[in-house]
Amino acid sequence: QGGGGGCWSRSQPHWFHTLQTRRLRVYRGRSNSDPLGGADDEQAFTWKAGLQFGAAQSYLSLEKLGEGAFASVYKGISRINGQLVALKVIRMKTEEGVPFTAIREASLLKRLKHANIVLLHDIVHTRETLTLVFEYVQTDLAQYLAQHPGGLRSHNVRLFMFQLLRGLCYIHSRRILHRDLKPQNLLISYLGELKLADFGLARSKSIPSQSFSSEVVTLWYRPPDVLLGSTDYSTALDIWGAGCVLVEMLQGAPAFPGVSDEFEQLQKIWAVLGVPSERSWPGVSLLPNYRIEWFLPSEPKSFRTVWKRLAQLPCKTEDLVQRMLKLVPADRISAEESLQHPYFSTLPLPIMHLRDNVSIFKVPGVRLETEVKDIFTPARRVKPSLLDAMKRS
Amino acid sequence: MEGPSSRPAATAGRRDSSGEGEDPARDTKTHFRVCRFIMETGMKLGMRSVPMATACVLYYRFFDRVSMRAYEPYLVAMSAIYLAGKVEEQHIRTRDIINVSHRYFNSGSSPLECNKEFWELRDSVVQCELLILRQLNFHVSFEHPHKYLLHYLLSVRSLVNRHAWSRTPVAETSWALLQDCYHGAMCIRHAPQHIAIATLYLALNSYGLEPPDGERAWWQVLCDNVTQEDIDAVISDLLHLYDMEAKCI
């Protein structure tokens, strides 16, 4: 052991202290953000002089919205411009540093600016916490579905679905997978704007042979290839999840619900789509978790007999569901193709040519219909005047 | 293989001149050695190519923004490895990084005791991770040339003579050349597509393989926006790195 060069030895312990003692004793948070990206500057009036992006005291938390493994989410208000924000406060465990989900969420969202992706405004760090500051969106699809049991109006389903696929098309074209699509992660504003959120499990795709962790998607929305242990999944993973969400919005109940493990989840899927064979799905028997006893005989059924709502709607709805919920991942429709599907042909044409950051509700004539339940309990409805005010802003 | 003895020399050289201003030539050498450290440590930790590339890019982008005199490059390298593991979903424990690094600098010695020094070192690695995140504004997921090279290799294989292809290790050589690009800041100076094309170009040339050109050169068909100048620039940077290897060891 070279005594002179022993930066590791007791004689010269200083080199690894430098960071702690000199650099990180900063109690005030520091910014990593480009404040409002320049373009929105005219809106950014200042409430209090001296408050900056990235500083902890620039945000006031109002109420707790939720609690996760690594983070708590608060509704808050920006003291810089008075906007409502969602504050995702991530506790940093000293032994492991910043949780990898937070790193991935922040690094991916920083690159994404789209009307159907939740906007990351700012990042604040203090000594013990890291706070991601998001735009505040009033509710999510899970709550919306719970408030309107029995399925949503088909017009609204179409608008939500278009926005979901528009968001997916955007991230997929940037080689990013969401990997955790479910109603809880789809935020819904009062206007009906849908925004993809929770990118903690999202990842950028790299080389095609790259394998990912298979423990990523909530079971109900997980495609059969991933349930069978495939780790070379790609954009088709998110399409399956989106297909499940489409059925759930129509039916008011999850497409493949309520089971405890991969085996039962697969049986739910086989019960509708039929059990695959090496002939219908070449390579299925080579997947890591393939077990012959998991492949109990089951005939495919027509979707409209399983999900009754499809029988009441034009068959292009069922056609889109069929193209999304394919057993073989390579057969599933892409997000880009799905936006061209006849299911969306009743939407006004300008909706197809919007700039990334423009909401579909800027197109004249595009608006959410009142859900049936809200017609009978009008107290829950949002005042039209409020809607108009939001639309103008 | 770089011996552990080169480390004290590097440190001594750097420390002696601290406060005397920048010396780009010496900095380049230090970066070369530190990236060699990242790759050797990464290999021993079983890191895949892409996470290792991410670690090197994190390292270079960090020192693109701050002076080498302000932070210890080997500590930044260790944190870059740790952070790259998180970004690329190949998690590596801090204690493994510390133990492997300790062995790198003090070959043949026993592992560090779990004493105060160890914990302080681990805290430093974790704190430095946050520092890198701050400096890079959380822009820590990168597009690498690896996937492009793979794609180009598959295309070129179908263009050249099958026997010539099986006789020559073009794929292995171009992949190795690609890895070597990460010894220098060139890995953040060129577009990923350009690096991929250039390493393939160099590998094919060194084995005398020439894919047939149509109206356009084969590399133009594969990558629209690359020019002969771009390719030459990458190759020149890479050859420069090989020159440096001799000076650094």
Side-chain angles (χ1 to χ4, degrees):
Chain A
Q1 179 172 341
C7 57
W8 297 81
S9 73
R10 228 162 261 266
S11 59
Q12 280 183 307
H14 57 270
W15 72 267
F16 54 77
H17 284 296
T18 323
L19 289 162
Q20 292 174 339
T21 51
R22 253 188 268 154
R23 298 290 162 175
L24 289 179
R25 287 278 154 80
V26 186
Y27 287 86
R28 190 183 62 77
R30 278 171 51 177
S31 178
N32 285 292
S33 66
D34 24 346
L36 291 175
D40 296 334
D41 270 353
E42 65 272 15
Q43 294 179 0
F45 67 92
T46 305
W47 274 22
K48 261 189 174 174
L51 287 171
Q52 289 170 340
F53 283 93
Q57 63 270 28
S58 298
Y59 301 94
L60 204 63
S61 71
L62 301 172
E63 59 175 305
K64 194 167 188 168
L65 298 173
E67 177 83 48
F70 289 110
S72 311
V73 182
Y74 298 87
K75 180 179 179 176
I77 190 163
S78 160
R79 297 168 76 193
I80 302 167
N81 53 22
Q83 281 182 349
L84 284 178
V85 290
L87 302 166
K88 189 170 189 171
V89 181
I90 294 149
R91 293 175 291 275
M92 285 192 284
K93 293 197 269 172
T94 39
E95 61 281 24
E96 281 157 40
V98 187
F100 83 101
T101 47
I103 294 175
R104 297 253 303 275
E105 181 161 34
S107 69
L108 293 177
L109 276 177
K110 282 215 121 195
R111 309 202 309 231
L112 304 177
K113 294 262 184 286
H114 190 275
N116 300 115
I117 312 282
V118 70
L119 186 66
L120 177 63
H121 279 308
D122 198 2
I123 299 176
V124 179
H125 14 212
T126 60
R127 272 168 61 80
E128 283 87 25
T129 61
L130 178 70
T131 303
L132 305 184
V133 183
F134 294 101
E135 64 178 318
Y136 180 75
V137 185
Q138 291 77 13
T139 187
D140 61 53
L141 187 59
Q143 286 182 27
Y144 191 91
L145 284 165
Q147 282 159 10
H148 308 102
L152 311 181
R153 297 189 72 156
S154 60
H155 174 80
N156 294 350
V157 171
R158 196 186 325 272
L159 291 181
F160 287 148
M161 204 58 203
F162 185 83
Q163 297 181 84
L164 169 53
L165 289 166
R166 193 174 164 230
L168 280 183
C169 181
Y170 177 80
I171 63 169
H172 287 176
S173 71
R174 278 154 186 76
R175 299 168 198 282
I176 291 169
L177 307 180
H178 186 281
R179 296 201 303 183
D180 196 20
L181 284 184
K182 52 183 176 185
Q184 290 86 334
N185 288 342
L186 302 174
L187 306 181
I188 306 281
S189 77
Y190 277 138
L191 268 182
E193 291 163 310
L194 178 147
K195 288 165 193 277
L196 297 178
D198 209 339
F199 280 69
L201 283 172
R203 65 159 294 132
S204 4
K205 287 177 63 190
S206 37
I207 50 176
S209 62
Q210 171 96 46
S211 60
F212 311 131
S213 134
S214 62
E215 300 298 313
V216 291
V217 192
T218 319
L219 228 47
W220 295 358
Y221 306 91
R222 197 183 283 192
D225 46 311
V226 178
L227 288 166
L228 289 168
S230 164
T231 49
D232 68 343
Y233 46 77
S234 178
T235 52
L237 168 90
D238 288 337
I239 296 298
W240 178 278
C244 293
V245 169
L246 172 52
V247 172
E248 186 163 348
M249 286 193 289
L250 292 168
Q251 284 290 118
F256 305 108
V259 285
S260 55
D261 60 15
E262 279 89 349
F263 169 73
E264 287 184 52
Q265 187 68 45
L266 283 169
Q267 301 319 304
K268 289 271 174 188
I269 296 171
W270 302 160
V272 181
L273 287 119
V275 72
S277 62
E278 189 61 32
R279 199 172 32 163
S280 70
W281 183 350
V284 67
S285 60
L286 301 173
L287 290 170
N289 297 347
Y290 177 85
R291 293 195 190 96
I292 189 73
E293 65 271 22
W294 282 12
F295 288 68
L296 307 172
S298 175
E299 287 300 311
K301 298 185 185 62
S302 107
F303 283 6
R304 56 179 58 217
T305 60
V306 183
W307 297 308
K308 303 282 190 263
R309 186 85 186 280
L310 289 173
Q312 304 158 12
L313 295 167
C315 48
K316 50 193 179 183
T317 313
E318 188 184 19
D319 185 74
L320 178 60
V321 176
Q322 267 164 351
R323 287 172 195 274
M324 298 178 88
L325 297 182
K326 293 266 190 207
L327 290 179
V328 186
D331 294 345
R332 283 174 220 148
I333 192 171
S334 73
E336 195 182 1
E337 288 165 339
S338 65
L339 290 174
Q340 305 299 323
H341 190 275
Y343 175 64
F344 295 116
S345 61
T346 52
L347 295 174
L349 196 59
I351 213 169
M352 303 289 174
H353 308 288
L354 293 173
R355 273 181 292 118
D356 284 344
N357 57 347
V358 177
S359 155
I360 63 165
F361 293 95
K362 296 284 181 195
V363 175
V366 175
R367 54 184 299 242
L368 218 55
E369 286 176 358
T370 311
E371 296 289 346
V372 179
K373 184 168 183 293
D374 294 341
I375 297 174
F376 296 114
T377 51
R380 299 185 69 97
R381 274 162 69 185
V382 182
K383 283 186 199 138
S385 57
L386 187 59
L387 269 178
D388 289 343
M390 290 189 60
K391 204 153 185 170
R392 260 183 272 117
S393 70
Chain B
M1 281 274 171
E2 187 184 20
S5 58
S6 65
R7 161 79 191 132
T11 318
R14 209 175 54 79
R15 293 245 180 267
D16 288 347
S17 64
S18 58
E20 283 176 19
E22 313 279 316
D23 178 348
R26 196 178 46 237
D27 285 0
T28 316
K29 278 188 199 170
T30 307
H31 287 325
F32 184 95
R33 291 196 186 95
V34 179
C35 278
R36 171 75 51 113
F37 161 76
I38 291 179
M39 288 186 208
E40 259 182 58
T41 310
M43 289 291 266
K44 287 175 184 157
L45 291 165
M47 280 173 104
R48 295 186 303 259
S49 309
V50 169
M52 225 179 316
T54 299
C56 293
V57 172
L58 285 170
Y59 173 86
Y60 279 112
R61 288 210 190 275
F62 181 82
F63 281 113
D64 222 21
R65 283 150 197 263
V66 303
S67 160
M68 271 237 310
R69 250 108 340 239
Y71 299 102
E72 165 59 46
Y74 285 89
L75 176 62
V76 174
M78 288 166 73
S79 296
I81 292 174
Y82 185 49
L83 181 53
K86 289 185 183 179
V87 173
E88 300 295 343
E89 241 178 89
Q90 193 191 4
H91 302 269
I92 301 163
R93 293 189 303 177
T94 37
R95 56 174 295 171
D96 292 340
I97 297 174
I98 291 171
N99 283 333
V100 172
S101 309
H102 179 71
R103 207 34 187 245
Y104 181 92
F105 297 127
N106 311 280
S107 71
S109 71
S110 51
L112 280 172
E113 297 285 321
C114 271
N115 55 15
K116 187 162 169 285
E117 186 183 339
F118 178 87
W119 299 122
E120 282 175 339
L121 187 50
R122 200 193 57 177
D123 284 349
S124 302
V125 172
V126 168
Q127 295 276 35
C128 183
E129 173 196 61
L130 191 57
L131 183 77
I132 298 175
L133 284 170
R134 285 178 173 185
Q135 282 293 347
L136 302 192
N137 276 338
F138 279 79
H139 287 291
V140 291
S141 61
F142 311 113
E143 195 175 37
H144 290 297
H146 299 68
K147 61 181 174 190
Y148 292 105
L149 179 57
L150 196 63
H151 176 68
Y152 298 154
L153 276 167
L154 290 171
S155 311
V156 164
R157 185 176 62 177
S158 63
L159 289 177
V160 299
N161 180 300
R162 199 152 47 90
H163 296 292
W165 183 267
S166 61
R167 273 199 311 273
T168 47
V170 172
E172 292 84 343
T173 306
S174 52
W175 196 262
L177 292 171
L178 177 60
Q179 303 279 67
D180 288 343
C181 291
Y182 287 88
H183 281 88
M186 63 173 292
C187 63
I188 61 167
R189 303 270 179 262
H190 300 279
Q193 294 93 324
H194 296 179
I195 295 181
I197 282 280
T199 52
L200 178 55
Y201 182 97
L202 185 54
L204 286 167
N205 268 11
S206 12
Y207 292 111
L209 273 181
E210 187 77 40
D213 288 341
E215 282 175 25
R216 296 193 295 167
W218 62 269
W219 40 268
Q220 269 178 324
V221 178
L222 293 178
C223 176
D224 260 342
N225 64 359
V226 70
T227 64
Q228 185 71 51
E229 288 74 47
D230 294 329
I231 297 179
D232 292 345
V234 174
I235 292 178
S236 146
D237 280 358
L238 184 56
L239 295 180
H240 188 70
L241 278 180
Y242 288 124
D243 277 347
M244 185 133 68
E245 186 182 20
K247 292 178 203 151
C248 284
I249 291 181

